[in-house]
Amino acid sequence: MEKFDESIKEFNEEQKLAIKSNKNTVVSAGAGSGKTKTLSTRYVRLIIEDKMKVEEILALTFTKKAAVEMYGRIYLELHKFENNPYARKAIDNFQNAKISTLDSFCNSILRYSCRSYGLRPDFSIDEYKSKKIASDIATSF
């Protein structure tokens, strides 16, 4: 079984700060800079050191591809610590992990509480109109 502190030696100081943070954390950097690896390692730390459950952690990304990659990386990272009882429980319950895109998460909140906003549960989002509105707003800046 690998010790957690040994698993983060390869990270730079900023990445280590993100991994060890006990606050809501946003990681923003260019492609290939290690964002997914940093966030995946942070997720595992929350389970191993803070004894959180997968149901208590929310991980959001911007793209479906990134969400799928993060899901897989976290699952594989947890297996490095499978002798740890908290990691073992997380592996067993990983189907309950909340790892998704920001859009998907917001959509689930709206679907759950749509009646509070005067919407029917079978509402749909007009992707074309949404992109047009975003483009119009961005162009005005």
Side-chain angles (χ1 to χ4, degrees):
M1 175 173 77
E2 186 175 355
K3 291 192 175 187
F4 186 79
D5 285 341
E6 293 172 14
S7 73
I8 64 169
K9 284 182 179 178
E10 68 187 79
F11 292 93
N12 67 38
E13 290 308 310
E14 285 182 329
Q15 291 169 323
K16 287 178 184 175
L17 284 173
I19 291 167
K20 293 181 176 186
S21 174
N22 283 323
K23 299 178 182 177
N24 290 333
T25 303
V26 174
V27 174
S28 176
S33 61
K35 292 182 301 289
T36 303
K37 187 169 178 69
T38 299
L39 290 172
S40 299
T41 303
R42 179 171 190 266
Y43 192 104
V44 171
R45 185 197 66 77
L46 290 170
I47 289 169
I48 291 172
E49 292 186 351
D50 293 356
K51 300 170 180 60
M52 293 183 76
K53 299 175 182 145
V54 293
E55 300 88 353
E56 298 172 327
I57 304 170
L58 175 62
L60 298 174
T61 67
F62 285 105
T63 67
K64 290 178 187 176
K65 181 181 176 186
V68 168
E69 182 180 348
M70 186 171 297
Y71 188 95
R73 285 235 195 139
I74 292 169
Y75 189 74
L76 291 174
E77 191 72 20
L78 281 168
H79 275 280
K80 292 180 184 177
F81 302 94
E82 62 187 357
N83 292 332
N84 176 289
Y86 300 104
R88 181 77 253 156
K89 188 171 183 180
I91 292 166
D92 293 343
N93 294 322
F94 205 67
Q95 72 277 5
N96 298 318
K98 297 174 190 154
I99 302 167
S100 71
T101 64
L102 182 60
D103 292 353
S104 177
F105 177 70
C106 291
N107 189 4
S108 69
I109 291 173
L110 189 54
R111 289 214 185 273
Y112 179 77
S113 57
C114 62
R115 295 196 193 279
S116 300
Y117 300 107
L119 298 172
R120 294 177 21 182
D122 62 345
F123 74 88
S124 64
I125 297 171
D126 185 336
E127 293 289 330
Y128 174 77
K129 188 172 182 179
S130 296
K131 286 180 182 178
K132 172 94 171 87
I133 291 169
S135 176
D136 292 346
I137 291 171
T139 305
S140 69
F141 285 107

